[in-house]
Amino acid sequence: TITKLWNAFKFTQQHLKNYKIRKIKLQPFDLWLLSKLNNLIKSSLFSFENYEYSKVKSETENFFWHTFCDNYLEIIKNRLYSPNKKAEKESAQFTLYLSLLTILKLFAPIMPFITEEIYQIYFKKYEKEKSIHLSNFPKYDTKLLNKNLEKEGDEFIEIISKVRQFKTINHKPLKEEIILTLPFKYKNSSFLSDLKAVTSAKEINFDKDLEIKL
């Protein structure tokens, strides 16, 4: 986990050079992540107060490895590397900054050294606190909770997972272009842009069931 945290930080640092955090209109998958992150903050606060440190460690690791690294970082890569998508890129940058800092703060009581190292290298100059261990614990923000958006985002994560499985079974690289057919209920979904990018779908159609073709 320490190695993974360091690698996630180096990726984040690369895409936050000279970035000044400011609130902007966030994209659906960014809001999806922040909603899930706030659920984690709430459960971590409760667990810490009840001395259930192992539960905080387990839940934070699960969020970090799977929700943040396996899914979210892969989804936003297209936006981060696309200079023509300024607003979409800034939305990803804002979410990257806030989410990684929050993850570090959740890990800090359990992994004090790596979290302090990353904080000193990057976050200190923005957050102004001398140490991550002197900073405020993340605040649970109910304004960032969105159950409906979480549910729809989870459904799109499942679609992305099925596309990955399809490409693996067919011995194709993840960047291999596909034709994707989705159920009609997703026709006007705000998640479609990120889905198209992360799955390398050259075409998205709509019918009764999910279908993936090369």
Side-chain angles (χ1 to χ4, degrees):
T1 297
I2 289 173
T3 302
K4 189 77 170 177
L5 194 58
W6 180 256
N7 290 337
F9 160 62
K10 296 303 289 183
F11 173 83
T12 301
Q13 185 185 36
Q14 174 189 346
H15 292 286
L16 293 181
K17 286 180 180 177
N18 303 317
Y19 172 70
K20 293 183 180 179
I21 189 168
R22 64 186 183 94
K23 288 189 176 181
I24 60 168
K25 184 179 179 181
L26 296 174
Q27 298 296 304
F29 263 120
D30 302 327
L31 291 168
W32 168 83
L33 183 82
L34 293 177
S35 183
K36 286 185 170 295
L37 185 59
N38 267 270
N39 287 324
L40 177 63
I41 292 170
K42 184 180 181 180
S43 65
S44 296
L45 279 167
F46 180 83
S47 296
F48 270 130
E49 287 170 356
N50 288 276
Y51 307 102
E52 296 177 342
Y53 309 127
S54 61
K55 188 176 181 183
V56 177
K57 180 178 181 292
S58 175
E59 290 181 349
T60 304
E61 281 185 335
N62 184 62
F63 177 90
F64 169 67
W65 276 86
H66 302 295
T67 306
F68 184 71
C69 292
D70 290 349
N71 291 313
Y72 181 70
L73 293 185
E74 294 302 317
I75 288 166
I76 63 169
K77 278 181 180 177
N78 179 264
R79 283 193 267 144
L80 291 173
Y81 287 109
S82 298
N84 298 327
K85 297 181 178 180
K86 188 173 185 296
E88 293 88 341
K89 180 179 179 178
E90 285 190 359
S91 175
Q93 288 176 311
F94 174 88
T95 309
L96 260 184
Y97 181 99
L98 184 61
S99 56
L100 182 60
L101 178 60
T102 301
I103 289 167
L104 288 176
K105 287 184 176 184
L106 293 176
F107 271 138
I110 299 161
M111 297 192 295
F113 301 112
I114 183 64
T115 52
E116 180 71 359
E117 181 72 8
I118 292 172
Y119 182 87
Q120 293 294 327
I121 292 172
Y122 179 77
F123 289 101
K124 182 182 177 181
K125 62 180 176 285
Y126 300 107
E127 297 299 311
K128 307 303 181 184
E129 289 287 353
K130 290 183 179 180
S131 166
I132 194 171
H133 305 296
L134 296 174
S135 64
N136 292 325
F137 196 79
K139 290 183 179 179
Y140 173 58
D141 189 352
T142 55
K143 293 178 182 177
L144 289 173
L145 296 178
N146 191 325
K147 288 184 179 180
N148 291 331
L149 195 73
E150 271 194 59
K151 182 177 181 295
E152 187 176 356
D154 288 344
E155 291 173 5
F156 272 83
I157 291 295
E158 184 62 28
I159 293 169
I160 293 168
S161 177
K162 288 180 178 178
V163 170
R164 288 173 176 169
Q165 290 172 12
F166 173 84
K167 289 182 178 181
T168 299
I169 291 170
N170 287 278
H171 307 289
K172 299 294 182 182
L174 292 177
K175 290 186 178 181
E176 182 80 14
E177 287 190 334
I178 57 166
I179 296 173
L180 193 57
T181 301
L182 301 178
F184 282 119
K185 68 175 182 176
Y186 298 123
K187 192 167 187 178
N188 297 312
S189 175
S190 55
F191 288 91
L192 287 173
S193 178
D194 276 335
L195 177 73
K196 187 174 184 179
V198 74
T199 59
S200 299
K202 62 181 177 181
E203 187 180 321
I204 296 182
N205 302 309
F206 299 91
D207 208 330
K208 291 181 180 180
D209 302 306
L210 174 68
E211 189 176 4
I212 307 163
K213 291 181 179 179
L214 292 170

